Amino acid sequence: HGCMDWIKLEKLLSFLLRHSPETLNLNMDASGWVETDALVKAVKFKEPKFDLKFLQKIVKDSQKQRFSFSEDGSKIRANQGHSVKVDLQLSPADPPETLYHGTVERFLDSIMQEGLKKGDRQHVHLSLDLQTAEKVGTRRGKPIILTVSAREMQQDGYVFYVSDNGVWLTENVPPQYLDLQ
Ligand code: HQG
């Protein structure tokens, strides 16, 4: 499989399983699942060397663990990051005292004014540790880290979820719970 570009494929899978299954005529159910066979067939059409084995390798070895198979392997979904309206049926979880959000300077004024908003995605994404938040921020430039008073938010009635790959999710974070790290 050496000649196939792993990053490119992971991006294609993210695109299909989070944002646009219809691009390759895939059906996604209400919980974000797509038939594994159909996905393999569709991707194979673009990348003839792609097969189930390679998909299994990506799911298993992807550094960010972006995807999961259903128990019997017949279905696959993205663990988080959707813009497609899906209900992942995650259970509410108790957050730690503090969570982190990595962003960049140019968003700061707006964030401090209106809080963290989910934009196109289904949730605001928060990180458990500084290092991860830094990586998330670095995707857009020089990272700026915000701390989120997650426990306090929860006490005030906000609900938190944690995805299968360890990303903390919530609907929005009002500015009073945010601080510059
Ligand atoms: C910013 C990646 C102005 C926010 C990562 C961020 C993550 C605001 C951007 C996952 C704002 C949204 C998600 C406001 C938020 N005003 N800017 N009020 N509220 N923003 O990509 O958290 O590689 O939707 O700071 O690792 O950057 O895709 O969210 O910069 O886990 O698996 O608006 O994506 O994972 O950007 O990243 P995004 P994110 P994957």
Side-chain angles (χ1 to χ4, degrees):
H1 292 114
C3 50
M4 263 189 297
D5 184 340
W6 180 290
I7 293 175
K8 201 175 113 195
L9 271 171
E10 222 179 315
K11 287 212 160 129
L12 175 60
L13 293 173
S14 292
F15 174 73
L16 294 169
L17 295 177
R18 290 172 172 177
H19 307 300
S20 192
E22 69 279 5
T23 302
L24 294 182
N25 290 317
L26 293 166
N27 291 314
M28 180 178 281
D29 76 12
S31 308
W33 297 106
V34 164
E35 296 285 338
T36 305
D37 287 349
L39 179 71
V40 170
K41 248 189 220 156
V43 174
K44 208 174 172 58
F45 186 73
K46 298 196 79 163
E47 291 281 345
K49 292 214 171 88
F50 187 76
D51 59 10
L52 178 61
K53 263 220 158 87
F54 194 58
L55 180 64
Q56 286 167 335
K57 200 168 162 54
I58 290 182
V59 172
K60 186 163 153 282
D61 294 345
S62 155
Q63 231 194 352
K64 291 190 71 176
Q65 295 288 303
R66 292 185 170 94
F67 316 104
S68 294
F69 285 115
S70 57
E71 228 159 276
D72 66 358
S74 66
K75 290 182 282 182
I76 182 170
R77 74 177 181 185
N79 286 326
Q80 36 71 225
H82 301 79
S83 58
V84 175
K85 299 261 172 296
V86 292
D87 178 2
L88 296 179
Q89 291 170 317
L90 299 172
S91 314
D94 294 329
E97 183 76 31
T98 306
L99 287 167
Y100 302 94
H101 181 80
T103 188
V104 283
E105 175 90 46
R106 66 178 185 279
F107 296 150
L108 209 54
D109 283 350
S110 160
I111 290 174
M112 285 313 196
Q113 212 157 18
E114 54 186 24
L116 287 172
K117 296 200 158 170
K118 60 186 179 174
D120 293 338
R121 302 209 197 226
Q122 297 256 96
H123 298 97
V124 168
H125 290 221
L126 304 171
S127 310
L128 187 58
D129 56 86
L130 274 169
Q131 208 191 357
T132 307
E134 202 165 300
K135 276 195 207 149
V136 174
T138 303
R139 285 153 59 237
R140 303 205 144 76
K142 186 170 172 284
I144 296 231
I145 313 292
L146 298 171
T147 60
V148 176
S149 303
R151 188 76 53 73
E152 191 189 335
M153 278 182 73
Q154 191 195 28
Q155 280 157 6
D156 292 347
Y158 290 83
V159 179
F160 287 81
Y161 305 91
V162 57
S163 69
D164 284 346
N165 59 338
V167 178
W168 282 83
L169 306 167
T170 194
E171 184 73 20
N172 69 300
V173 180
Q176 67 265 31
Y177 301 105
L178 291 168
D179 267 306
L180 262 179
Q181 207 265 326

